């Protein structure tokens, strides 16, 4: 049977838990074996003291730890002290010290007992959870907002298409305003697409994608941080598509851009630039570089910046997870991330990603073959759409092709017409509608009128549920995201109506 002191020593070792005792006021320090090990020393190989301990404390924390430890030997406290230490190999650990002050009858301190616990792993797990949670809620919010914007955007965009020819030979200024308005709408469309991409946090959903679009999204999201510190320069050369989840890849650029902005001291923002460049290298990989003219990275920390929790920011300001996350994500895509820096002059982070081979972008179907017959043969068209303004805009547009158009605002009315024997050449149907969704309507039509089910073209406002996404991927019918390209929609209508 072990003696109580042997047992205590074993327990400390098992829990990675150290104990210090300080006799006061003489300040005679004793450490348990495990406390030596926590600080990276062989038990007994150094004389335990406040100075010995402070040697290992992270430079940014030394003053605070010294102050708080001194205080704990004078005034009883229940507040733990948390700080970082740097081990001889450069490894960073986080410790938590709790202490108890023993006083004599007159209230004078005679002894302090302190426990030291290495909480690095615990903190890592907790921070990862917070980080994951933050990304998930940003994603949900982004998806919801995108969906709300898409519906009004769809009719604004359709109305613009309609107004243009009506104006005919209008004054030059009106034509210019119109074209600027269209350019504005296109920009909103791009931002919304980006938000949608960002909301797909399901890591398994990887597809070949246009990295530039993901970069643009990250730039929109970091605009506020960058604008105040530096001029943004884009130097985009063509590069291949890569296979990734857009939301995850956006996080890589987001972190690198924020770091670049933060590297520029707030007090001297004059003349600074952040340059984002893209190109393809000799091996055909996509190369993305983010260059800043900030403070650079000091030589002695260059091999630590990718470590989880390594940060030069004050306690509580940075998680130090940004770069370790970038590294993890890029590696999981089969790519590499590295940097070159010159302290005082700036840093370049370079992300290299392997190309997607035989890339067929999701959602983008091959262009439609030319229609077999003349396009202005009138067709019977049914529009099933709960958004009234959009349905009307669509009608005005499609009427130009001289179709006979019926609008219903509910899935069940469309179904009733099919059940009553009414037949359409094409059914343009919104995917997400209250009561009966486009998916349900399609399923019911497949039973009561299979010929009609095959004639459905779906429109979606985005923000797919996983079920909707699966549905669209599985069925052969064409589908478009709102606001859709009207020429493509017309081509699809011609294709379906002549099949
Ligand atoms: N472009 C850069 N220029 C200079 N130093 C950089 C740059 N990027 C990263 N660093 C250094 O690397 C450290 C780690 O970066 P990382 O993104 O992992 O964490 P952080 O930025 O400190 O914290 P967080 O990302 O949570 O805000 C930074 O604290 C900084 O010292
Ligand atoms: Mg960072």
């Amino acid at each position: 049977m072990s003696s109580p002191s042997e047992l205590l020593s074993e327990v400390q070792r098992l829990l990675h838990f150290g104990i210090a005792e300080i006799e006061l006021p003489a300040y005679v320090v004793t450490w348990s074996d495990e406390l030596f090990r926590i600080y990276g020393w062989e038990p007994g190989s150094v004389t335990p003291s406040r100075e010995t301990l402070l040697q290992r404390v992270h430079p940014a924390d030394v003053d605070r730890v010294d102050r708080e430890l001194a205080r704990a030997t004078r005034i009883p406290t229940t507040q733990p002290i948390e700080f970082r230490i740097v081990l001889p190999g450069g490894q960073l650990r986080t410790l938590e010290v709790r202490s108890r002050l023993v006083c004599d009858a007159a209230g004078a301190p005679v002894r302090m007992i302190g426990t030291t616990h290495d909480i690095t792993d615990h903190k890592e797990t907790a921070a990862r959870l917070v980080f994951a949670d933050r990304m998930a809620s940003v994603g949900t919010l982004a998806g919801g907002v995108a969906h709300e914007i898409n519906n009004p955007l769809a009719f604004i965009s359709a109305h613009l298409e309609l107004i243009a020819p009506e104006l005919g030979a209008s004054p030059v200024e009106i034509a210019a305003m119109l074209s600027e308005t269209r350019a504005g709408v296109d920009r909103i469309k791009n931002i919304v697409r980006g938000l949608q991409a960002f909301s797909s946090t399901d890591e398994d959903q990887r597809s070949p994608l246009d990295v530039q679009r993901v970069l643009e999204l990250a730039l929109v999201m970091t605009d506020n941080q960058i604008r105040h510190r530096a001029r943004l320069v884009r130097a985009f050369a063509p590069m291949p598509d890569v296979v990734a989840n857009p939301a995850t890849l956006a996080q890589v650029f987001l972190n690198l851009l924020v770091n670049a902005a933060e590297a520029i001291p707030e007090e001297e923002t004059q003349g600074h630039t952040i340059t984002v460049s893209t190109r393809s290298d000799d091996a055909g990989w996509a190369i993305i570089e983010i260059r800043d003219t900030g403070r650079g990275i000091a030589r002695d920390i260059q091999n630590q910046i990718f470590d989880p929790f390594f940060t030069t920011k004050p306690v509580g300001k940075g998680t130090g997870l940004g770069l370790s996350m970038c590294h993890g994500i890029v590696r999981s895509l089969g790519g590499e991330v590295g940097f070159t820096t010159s302290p005082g002059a700036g840093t370049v982070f370079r992300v290299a990603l392997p190309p997607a081979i035989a890339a067929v972008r999701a959602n983008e179907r091959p262009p439609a073959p030319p229609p077999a017959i003349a396009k202005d043969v009138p067709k019977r068209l049914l529009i099933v759409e709960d958004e009234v303004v959009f349905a009307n805009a669509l009608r005005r547009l499609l009427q130009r092709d001289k179709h006979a158009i019926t609008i219903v605002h509910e899935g069940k009315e469309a179904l009733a017409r099919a059940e009553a024997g009414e037949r359409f050449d094409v059914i343009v149907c919104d995917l997400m509608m209250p009561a009966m969704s486009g998916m349900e309507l399609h399923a019911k039509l497949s039973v009561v009128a299979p010929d009609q089910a095959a004639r459905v073209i779906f429109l979606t406002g985005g923000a797919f549920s996983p079920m909707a996404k699966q549905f669209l991927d599985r069925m052969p019918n064409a589908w478009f995201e709102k606001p859709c390209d009207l020429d493509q929609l017309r081509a699809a209508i011609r294709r379906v109506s002549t099949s």
Side-chain angles (χ1 to χ4, degrees):
M1 175 95 185
S2 324
S3 71
S5 79
E6 278 169 352
L7 207 59
L8 184 63
S9 166
E10 274 312 301
V11 170
Q12 287 187 45
R13 188 160 197 157
L14 215 61
L15 299 177
H16 216 41
F17 216 93
I19 296 179
E21 238 186 301
I22 305 173
E23 270 174 48
L24 297 168
Y27 218 96
V28 180
V29 184
T30 329
W31 285 3
S32 70
D33 287 356
E34 191 56 23
L35 193 56
F36 281 98
R37 287 188 206 103
I38 288 177
Y39 283 105
W41 275 297
E42 274 303 306
S45 64
V46 286
T47 311
S49 70
R50 191 158 102 199
E51 290 70 34
T52 317
L53 183 150
L54 291 177
Q55 272 179 40
R56 291 289 200 237
V57 176
H58 190 288
D61 296 350
V62 165
D63 289 344
R64 179 176 57 86
V65 172
D66 195 17
R67 234 183 8 254
E68 291 183 7
L69 283 180
R71 189 183 150 83
T73 54
R74 279 186 280 111
I75 307 160
T77 173
T78 50
Q79 276 292 331
I81 309 173
E82 186 182 311
F83 56 93
R84 295 164 296 175
I85 57 167
V86 185
L87 293 177
Q91 203 195 6
L92 214 63
R93 309 292 296 178
T94 305
L95 306 185
E96 186 185 79
V97 172
R98 291 174 182 271
S99 63
R100 199 172 91 78
L101 201 58
V102 182
C103 299
D104 63 14
V110 291
R111 204 149 53 99
M112 191 186 93
I113 304 163
T115 59
T116 301
H117 193 195
D118 185 329
I119 56 169
T120 315
D121 297 342
H122 168 74
K123 270 188 76 93
E124 248 181 69
T125 315
R128 272 186 212 290
L129 284 176
V130 170
F131 207 85
D133 193 49
R134 194 166 77 196
M135 291 330 285
S137 40
V138 170
T140 313
L141 186 71
V145 170
H147 185 250
E148 289 311 305
I149 296 176
N150 266 342
N151 275 316
L153 196 59
F155 58 75
I156 293 174
S157 170
H159 282 159
L160 279 174
E161 290 284 320
L162 282 164
I163 290 169
E166 296 296 326
L167 290 176
S170 56
V172 178
E173 251 171 66
I174 293 187
M177 282 193 281
L178 197 64
S179 104
E180 279 165 19
T181 309
R182 272 182 169 158
V185 167
D186 283 343
R187 260 165 60 184
I188 299 176
K189 276 185 201 172
N190 272 335
I191 295 172
V192 173
R193 288 263 151 85
L195 283 176
Q196 273 168 321
F198 192 73
S199 69
S200 67
T201 41
D202 182 358
E203 222 328 81
D204 294 338
Q205 282 186 18
R206 289 186 181 179
S207 54
L209 50 92
D210 178 353
V211 185
Q212 202 166 306
R213 248 165 74 172
V214 181
L215 260 175
E216 285 293 355
L217 163 68
L219 285 168
V220 167
M221 299 185 80
T222 49
D223 178 60
N224 203 29
Q225 275 107 315
I226 294 178
R227 195 156 28 105
H228 302 298
R229 307 206 198 205
R231 191 167 58 87
L232 180 74
V233 180
R234 285 179 174 80
F236 290 167
M239 69 184 146
D241 284 4
V242 307
V243 175
N245 174 298
T248 321
L249 191 56
Q251 287 176 32
V252 172
F253 301 137
L254 219 75
N255 278 305
L256 295 180
L257 287 166
V258 170
N259 282 353
E262 286 170 345
I264 293 164
E266 245 168 328
E267 50 296 345
E268 43 138 303
T269 57
Q270 283 302 313
H272 281 289
T273 50
I274 291 177
T275 309
V276 181
S277 58
T278 67
R279 64 192 160 85
S280 158
D281 73 357
D282 294 343
W285 281 38
I287 308 291
I288 304 96
E289 286 183 350
I290 294 171
R291 176 187 301 268
D292 66 67
T293 53
R295 64 171 75 87
I297 303 171
R299 184 174 294 278
D300 59 331
I301 60 163
Q302 286 178 8
N303 61 355
Q304 293 176 55
I305 58 167
F306 285 104
D307 289 352
F309 302 104
F310 177 83
T311 178
T312 51
K313 292 182 179 174
V315 176
K317 280 283 155 51
T319 63
L321 278 176
L323 283 180
S324 89
M325 212 185 66
C326 288
H327 186 253
I329 294 172
V330 171
R331 291 302 294 269
S332 78
L333 300 175
E336 284 159 18
V337 53
F339 68 95
T340 48
T341 184
S342 99
T347 306
V348 190
F349 274 87
R350 183 174 305 106
V351 177
L353 296 166
I357 299 157
V360 179
R361 281 194 205 145
N363 303 359
E364 275 178 29
R365 304 191 171 216
I373 53 169
K375 65 174 184 189
D376 44 6
V377 175
K379 296 289 173 191
R380 282 159 307 154
L381 227 85
L382 176 66
I383 297 173
V384 191
E385 166 66 76
D386 61 315
E387 181 84 39
V388 179
V389 188
F390 180 61
N392 290 336
L394 210 55
R395 179 198 352 236
R396 281 189 222 115
L397 262 170
L398 298 175
Q399 257 166 358
R400 292 199 290 191
D401 293 341
K402 315 230 166 13
H403 298 311
I405 296 171
T406 309
I407 296 183
V408 298
H409 298 301
E410 283 187 13
K412 76 171 190 277
E413 197 184 332
L415 183 66
R417 283 171 183 256
E419 280 171 337
E422 207 172 331
R423 287 295 176 264
F424 294 92
D425 297 305
V426 182
I427 301 175
V428 177
C429 178
D430 190 17
L431 192 67
M432 300 295 190
M433 289 179 292
M436 184 185 286
S437 73
M439 286 178 275
E440 278 177 80
L441 174 61
H442 184 261
K444 297 214 156 95
L445 283 178
S446 306
V447 179
V448 299
D451 59 308
Q452 294 287 279
R455 293 184 174 275
V456 177
I457 294 174
F458 289 100
L459 299 182
T460 118
F464 308 115
S465 60
M467 197 173 90
K469 179 90 184 67
Q470 248 186 24
F471 171 80
L472 291 174
D473 284 346
R474 255 197 346 250
M475 50 114 224
N477 300 39
W479 59 276
F480 295 89
E481 267 182 66
K482 290 182 206 169
C484 42
D485 182 298
L486 292 159
D487 289 333
Q488 280 185 18
L489 176 62
R490 277 201 179 114
I493 290 174
R494 282 201 294 276
R495 202 163 59 240
V496 172
S497 65
T498 54
S499 62

